[in-house]
Amino acid sequence: MHYQDLVLQPLKQLLADYPWLEDFFGSFGLQLQATEQTLQQYLDRLDPDHLLDLGISQEQLQQSLHDFMAGMLALDEAAEKVESLTIIGGFDKTGSAEQLELTLKPGEVICIVGPTGSGKSRLLADIEWVAQGDTPTKRKILINGGVPDNKWRFSTEHKLVAQLSQNMNFVMDLTAEEFVRMHAESRLVPDPEEKVARILEQANQLAGEQFKPDTPVTSLSGGQSRALMIADMAILSKSPIVLIDEIENAGIDRKKALELLVKQEKIILMATHDPILALMGDKRLVIKNGGIAKIIASSDAERKNLSRLEELDNTLLALRNRIRFGETLEEL
Amino acid sequence: MHFLTVSGPPSSGKTSVILRVIEALQAKQKKIGVVKYDCLMTEDDLSYAKKGVLVKKGLSGSQCPDHYFVSNIEACVSWGVENDCDFLISESAGLCNRCSPHIKDITAVCVIDNLSGINTPRKIGPMLKSADIVVITKGDIVSQAEREVFASRVKQVNPGAVIMNINGITGQGAFELTSLFEEASDIETLKGMRLRFSMPSALCSYCLGETRIGDEYQTGNVRKMES
Ligand SMILES: Nc1ncnc2c1ncn2[C@@H]1O[C@H](COP(=O)(O)OP(=O)(O)OP(=O)(O)O)[C@@H](O)[C@H]1O
Ligand SMILES: Nc1nc2c(ncn2[C@@H]2O[C@H](COP(=O)(O)OP(=O)(O)O)[C@@H](O)[C@H]2O)c(=O)[nH]1
Ligand SMILES: [Mg+2]
Ligand SMILES: [Mg+2]
Ligand SMILES: [Zn+2]
Ligand SMILES: [Zn+2]
């Protein structure tokens, strides 16, 4: 439905169909009532002095309403499907050409490795910005083989990229359940309650230690927060590309976490130095001096070693648990 | 000369973000001027001077800093033009949530931070609600879900704006923001331009220096709370 048609509907109907309208007006200090008057009539009857007090003009309120409704209605539209992401090489920090064209497909996991300051985060940022030769690396990013619409850069509804950040702190004073609900509501997902329950359940499967829905987010442990954010991203995010910048791995089942994300048919790029995560990836991009210096496909020999690494990891985990439960390590 | 007004609550990261943009513009050999408006004191001018940009500062003292801004900004723009600046950026601390320095047809930036609380976007007036670009800082301190919730709250009160997450310390995102600065309004003078939103000053006896409390001392435009 278009803005022009919407404003001619009675508020009663509109509030039933688009409950977010109430919150939108609330954010400007205005209250909508479910009456028979149309939205346009309501707008026309607003007292200019009252609006002046609220710090908004009639014209601007209508413009904002128009833009907001366009955004909300866009959330319902299916996002353009991303079948492939192509990185066209630029130049490293010394000015040498990268000379590569790399195409990634949904379900692939690409690890990005390299020493500190080598340009791992820059590569992730190039993808997030859908760079077109306009970043320091001069890389170009293509979506489905073509130059994507500029809207990807600024869209909040159809973000191309969801980024799982290094930091998992919370400052909001909410419980885990309230927090996830607020996030789900802000994304207007259908059946938010079901999603909230699933996210909490998944998070508890990933986290080493269980938490309750009414645990305040600010008192979650590092591992629990990471588990919650990964479950949240897997279940709420519609973004076809996931960037993970050095996720710490303590207190969370890395393998399950990655599987959960891969299941959603996303393209996953992950800066990591964790050998287990690196071997779980399909390819490793080795970054040197700001450029992609090498691409290593995980080999069979490496895959075989993966199970050995996992054993080592489990051994360490078992030791960690023994320490946790007050045992001694005099005998391993 | 490209001219932009940057405003936002105190300590939201305005200076940090502008410094990161300055670095990116200087890498392209651009000449930059900054005008800093504050109320009581500021040391931001020193941070800017260290970058080697032209700086001017104005302290509004007993006036609303945004009123002070609008009385002086035309001269500052002329100053930037006379000094052959490619970019002039004004930084003003949004101390008064009701006033805003944003000017029609001049690119307006509002800087707000992720730590300020999810209800803050609603409480800020035209400074946020009428900005063209909203920069959200301090995303490094919170999780991505919290960043998204905060951004959606900003989007609700200013759905037409470009919303960007920038790290004022590491400069992550600043490069991308700079490309928007390069597309900003290009002007030679502010003559004939208007503010985006009026900035009424109540002009009661207290505006004029009254300090005594009591009905008998209240004259002019006085408003009482509903009882
Ligand atoms: N090809 C390039 N040309 C010019 N500058 C580059 C290039 N690649 C990266 N840089 C710059 O180098 C700096 C360091 O890069 P970045 O932050 O991406 O490193 P990193 O690998 O993520 O490091 P860390 O491991 O410490 O997180 C950044 O300022 C980035 O913009
Ligand atoms: N962690 C973090 N701190 C920031 C960020 N941006 C700014 N700061 C810090 O916030 C404080 C206030 O920043 P400043 O730029 O002076 O804010 P201004 O008053 O709006 O100009 C300073 O200590 C900055 O270092 C950011 O993105 N992340
Ligand atoms: Mg990095
Ligand atoms: Mg400052
Ligand atoms: Zn004021
Ligand atoms: Zn007064």
Side-chain angles (χ1 to χ4, degrees):
Chain A
M1 179 156 346
H2 286 292
Y3 178 79
Q4 292 87 339
D5 306 321
L6 266 175
V7 289
L8 298 179
Q9 299 222 358
L11 288 175
K12 207 166 143 190
Q13 184 63 41
L14 281 175
L15 281 169
D17 292 346
Y18 307 104
W20 39 259
L21 275 173
E22 187 176 355
D23 204 40
F24 172 81
F25 279 91
S27 71
F28 289 93
L30 293 165
Q31 232 186 338
L32 281 190
Q33 246 115 33
T35 59
E36 292 302 333
Q37 75 171 336
T38 68
L39 181 52
Q40 191 60 57
Q41 285 167 337
Y42 170 81
L43 290 167
D44 291 342
R45 286 176 198 162
L46 284 169
D47 175 12
D49 283 341
H50 183 48
L51 287 178
L52 199 64
D53 276 350
L54 295 173
I56 185 138
S57 66
Q58 172 74 247
E59 188 190 1
Q60 204 198 334
L61 179 65
Q62 297 210 21
Q63 183 64 46
S64 289
L65 177 62
H66 175 274
D67 294 341
F68 189 72
M69 294 206 335
M72 286 314 234
L73 298 174
L75 269 175
D76 285 337
E77 290 165 21
E80 198 183 329
K81 200 159 162 32
V82 172
E83 316 265 2
S84 73
L85 166 87
T86 306
I87 303 170
I88 299 180
F91 299 89
D92 71 9
K93 288 189 202 172
T94 64
S96 316
E98 267 179 322
Q99 286 183 330
L100 91 163
E101 194 174 313
L102 178 66
T103 298
L104 311 174
K105 298 251 153 55
E108 276 190 280
V109 178
I110 318 304
C111 295
I112 300 170
V113 299
T116 185
S118 58
K120 301 181 293 294
S121 299
R122 183 65 252 168
L123 174 59
L124 296 179
D126 284 348
I127 295 170
E128 186 171 18
W129 181 241
V130 204
Q132 293 305 323
D134 57 351
T135 66
T137 64
K138 303 279 186 296
R139 287 190 188 107
K140 292 195 179 105
I141 306 295
L142 304 183
I143 302 292
N144 298 337
V147 175
D149 199 301
N150 220 359
K151 73 166 194 231
W152 286 114
R153 285 191 168 173
F154 303 113
S155 164
T156 44
E157 289 81 30
H158 295 309
K159 267 178 84 90
L160 181 62
V161 163
Q163 186 156 21
L164 201 61
S165 50
Q166 257 161 306
N167 210 317
M168 303 279 175
N169 292 336
F170 299 96
V171 294
M172 288 180 192
D173 185 16
L174 297 171
T175 67
E177 185 176 17
E178 288 167 341
F179 178 75
V180 176
R181 182 177 301 122
M182 181 180 267
H183 192 202
E185 281 169 356
S186 80
R187 302 199 134 222
L188 286 192
V189 293
D191 201 358
E193 285 312 315
E194 182 266 338
K195 297 258 181 349
V196 171
R198 246 173 62 210
I199 291 169
L200 292 171
E201 189 196 316
Q202 277 289 356
N204 269 314
Q205 282 177 23
L206 299 179
E209 277 174 80
Q210 306 286 296
F211 62 90
K212 297 217 168 60
D214 62 359
T215 311
V217 283
T218 45
S219 43
L220 294 176
S221 72
Q224 290 169 334
S225 317
R226 276 187 281 279
L228 184 64
M229 286 302 91
I230 289 171
D232 173 279
M233 176 181 266
I235 291 162
L236 281 187
S237 168
K238 284 201 231 161
S239 305
I241 300 171
V242 174
L243 305 181
I244 305 179
D245 200 350
E246 313 236 9
I247 173 172
E248 281 179 61
N249 48 44
I252 155 167
D253 188 331
R254 282 164 284 173
K255 199 167 170 197
K256 265 197 213 148
L258 204 54
E259 276 163 5
L260 181 64
L261 291 172
V262 172
K263 244 194 351 225
Q264 320 296 321
E265 281 295 294
K266 294 176 188 293
I267 301 175
I268 301 175
L269 289 111
M270 172 166 61
T272 183
H273 294 139
D274 180 284
I276 295 190
L277 284 176
L279 294 193
M280 279 197 279
D282 301 290
K283 289 188 190 111
R284 302 206 284 286
L285 308 185
V286 184
I287 314 287
K288 211 170 118 187
N289 238 331
I292 302 175
K294 206 156 124 189
I295 303 174
I296 303 176
S298 307
S299 68
D300 285 342
E302 279 189 325
R303 289 258 157 85
K304 279 202 196 102
N305 284 336
L306 180 56
S307 48
R308 265 197 59 212
L309 283 179
E310 281 170 347
E311 272 166 40
L312 277 173
D313 197 50
N314 285 335
T315 310
L316 269 178
L317 187 70
L319 293 179
R320 211 176 282 140
N321 278 335
R322 277 169 58 185
I323 294 276
R324 194 175 280 150
F325 293 109
E327 294 174 33
T328 62
L329 295 186
E330 274 145 17
E331 260 166 69
L332 292 184
Chain B
M1 182 182 71
H2 292 292
F3 173 52
L4 303 95
T5 54
V6 178
S7 67
S11 298
S12 58
K14 298 177 294 297
T15 305
S16 310
V17 167
I18 295 171
L19 288 171
R20 301 292 86 77
V21 169
I22 287 174
E23 287 161 5
L25 288 173
Q26 283 179 332
K28 299 186 176 179
Q29 274 72 49
K30 301 291 183 198
K31 184 165 180 189
I32 302 150
V34 179
V35 197
K36 163 71 200 194
Y37 287 91
D38 219 317
C39 192
L40 300 177
M41 67 86 69
T42 180
E43 286 177 0
D44 288 350
D45 51 326
L46 303 177
S47 316
Y48 291 126
K50 250 199 235 154
K51 289 278 163 202
V53 300
L54 292 177
V55 197
K56 223 178 169 55
K57 94 169 154 179
L59 294 179
S60 61
S62 59
Q63 268 197 17
C64 164
D66 290 310
H67 286 237
Y68 180 76
F69 166 92
V70 70
S71 322
N72 288 283
I73 194 60
E74 190 189 356
C76 292
V77 166
S78 307
W79 167 80
V81 170
E82 279 158 24
N83 282 286
D84 291 321
C85 289
D86 299 306
F87 287 83
L88 182 70
I89 302 169
S90 79
E91 176 189 343
S92 35
L95 293 167
C96 162
N97 278 344
R98 178 57 185 74
C99 294
S100 141
H102 300 324
I103 299 166
K104 276 187 189 142
D105 301 321
I106 297 296
T107 306
V109 184
C110 179
V111 180
I112 171 170
D113 73 81
N114 271 300
L115 307 184
S116 59
I118 41 171
N119 289 322
T120 297
R122 299 180 170 212
K123 293 183 206 152
I124 304 178
M127 170 171 90
L128 171 65
K129 291 175 178 152
S130 76
D132 302 307
I133 302 171
V134 180
V135 169
I136 307 178
T137 58
K138 305 188 193 176
D140 52 320
I141 299 179
V142 297
S143 67
Q144 93 277 357
E146 203 163 330
R147 281 202 297 275
E148 276 180 25
V149 170
F150 191 80
S152 79
R153 290 299 181 109
V154 169
K155 175 114 186 163
Q156 195 173 41
V157 296
N158 190 345
V162 169
I163 300 172
M164 294 187 90
N165 275 285
I166 311 283
N167 184 321
I169 295 179
T170 65
Q172 192 186 4
F175 180 82
E176 289 76 8
L177 177 64
T178 305
S179 69
L180 298 184
F181 272 54
E182 291 174 300
E183 290 165 14
S185 42
D186 200 344
I187 53 151
E188 293 306 314
T189 170
L190 284 183
K191 236 180 213 42
M193 294 207 169
R194 310 176 69 108
L195 286 168
R196 292 193 183 197
F197 205 77
S198 64
M199 310 201 224
S201 170
L203 269 192
C204 63
S205 43
Y206 297 106
C207 297
L208 300 169
E210 180 61 76
T211 55
R212 289 168 296 180
I213 296 169
D215 280 346
E216 58 270 45
Y217 307 114
Q218 298 169 359
T219 54
N221 189 350
V222 175
R223 255 202 246 186
K224 295 291 189 184
M225 287 168 73
E226 284 167 40
S227 42

